[in-house]
Amino acid sequence: MALVEVVDRGAVRHLVLNRPEKRNALNGELCAALGAELERAADDDGVRVVVVRGNGGVFSSGMDVGELRELSRAPERLRAFRRRLIAWWNLLEEMPKATVAQIEGVCLGGAFELALACDLRVMAREATAGIVETRVGLIPDVGGSSRLPAVVGLGNAKELIMTGKLIDGAEAHRIGFANRVAPAAEIDATTAQLCDELLACAPLAVGRAKRVLDQVAKPALAATLELEVALQERLAASADFGEATNAFFERRAPQFRGR
């Protein structure tokens, strides 16, 4: 079974996360499979729009908790692991093609950052999204801290990240995270409509426009991405992160010490 299913609908390529038994949690193998397919889509002249979505009515529950626990035991592995993710997530933003996240079920943590790297987001009204890393003693470090303020504004970004707040589709649309919202039963059609609108525009112009817009919105992206990982390396070695991962597996509330 492929970890990422590839479905071509004319010039629209759907990349479907395929770990439904784990709510499409992002482990190393799934991220590598998605990265490889993103690279193929970026290089394929027949593809004009890329849609990332999840199998089983769920986008993704975020980074696999088992791998996060291993990271708490070996924080020196963080930078190498993250380097690959950043390259693939950045490709969604950098390729001269429109990229769309179709969000159903849940979209949490690293998956929220994956959706943020896309140009546009279509979200089911009933879905739940959140960038929840502070709940486990970390910060969003795969572009989440760097990209979210440009999408929803600084105040909303601080609230989402500093509280780990969860939002539904209606709230996501209100603050600007979701471009389109629809009932779950209609989300495929809503995504298809958005893709048709993108395909009706000249592809070179679409690609050049997104490049300018991203430069305007995030002029210091390279610097803030580096700041994310520098701070995360310290947090990954902190007692709070170790306590949070242990508490999760022991099914209890974490006892944070701070400082």
Side-chain angles (χ1 to χ4, degrees), residues 6-229:
V6 179
V7 180
D8 284 330
R9 297 178 182 173
V12 180
R13 176 161 296 176
H14 288 246
L15 303 180
V16 187
L17 308 177
N18 194 29
R19 287 185 84 205
E21 74 285 358
K22 296 292 186 180
R23 298 204 301 169
N24 299 321
L26 299 169
N27 64 1
E29 291 78 10
L30 177 55
C31 290
L34 177 59
E37 293 301 341
L38 288 172
E39 291 170 0
R40 292 188 185 98
D43 291 338
D44 190 334
D45 292 338
V47 175
R48 290 180 52 192
V49 180
V50 176
V51 176
V52 180
R53 56 185 174 89
N55 199 358
V58 173
F59 185 70
S60 172
S61 58
M63 298 306 298
D64 189 282
V65 176
E67 295 206 356
L68 284 178
R69 190 180 203 186
E70 290 303 312
L71 180 61
S72 73
R73 294 168 174 168
E76 67 277 2
R77 295 175 48 223
L78 170 67
R79 190 173 286 264
F81 174 72
R82 177 188 181 271
R83 185 181 299 117
R84 301 169 71 206
L85 292 185
I86 282 290
W88 293 324
W89 274 214
N90 283 357
L91 185 56
L92 283 160
E93 183 171 277
E94 294 169 356
M95 71 171 75
K97 310 176 184 197
T99 58
V100 179
Q102 178 178 305
I103 300 169
E104 300 177 77
V106 296
C107 174
L108 303 175
F112 192 105
E113 294 180 276
L114 170 61
L116 267 179
C118 293
D119 299 314
L120 303 166
R121 286 154 293 280
V122 178
M123 187 168 169
R125 187 171 292 120
E126 307 90 337
T128 300
I131 192 159
V132 295
E133 283 84 348
T134 56
R135 295 190 182 190
V136 295
L138 297 175
I139 62 170
D141 76 320
V142 193
S145 300
S146 296
R147 291 189 170 100
L148 189 59
V151 174
V152 302
L154 182 59
N156 286 323
K158 283 185 175 180
E159 182 177 1
L160 287 170
I161 290 174
M162 294 169 68
T163 70
K165 176 183 178 180
L166 301 179
I167 56 175
D168 61 13
E171 177 68 1
H173 187 261
R174 186 189 71 81
I175 65 175
F177 174 72
N179 299 89
R180 308 277 174 97
V181 174
E186 300 174 14
I187 193 166
D188 287 337
T190 303
T191 300
Q193 175 62 37
L194 176 57
C195 290
D196 286 344
E197 293 172 25
L198 291 165
L199 292 173
C201 298
L204 288 176
V206 169
R208 300 302 189 273
K210 70 176 276 185
R211 181 178 178 184
V212 172
L213 292 166
D214 285 330
Q215 286 290 319
V216 169
K218 294 161 288 220
L221 181 62
T224 55
L225 288 174
E226 175 58 29
L227 179 60
E228 283 182 359
V229 71

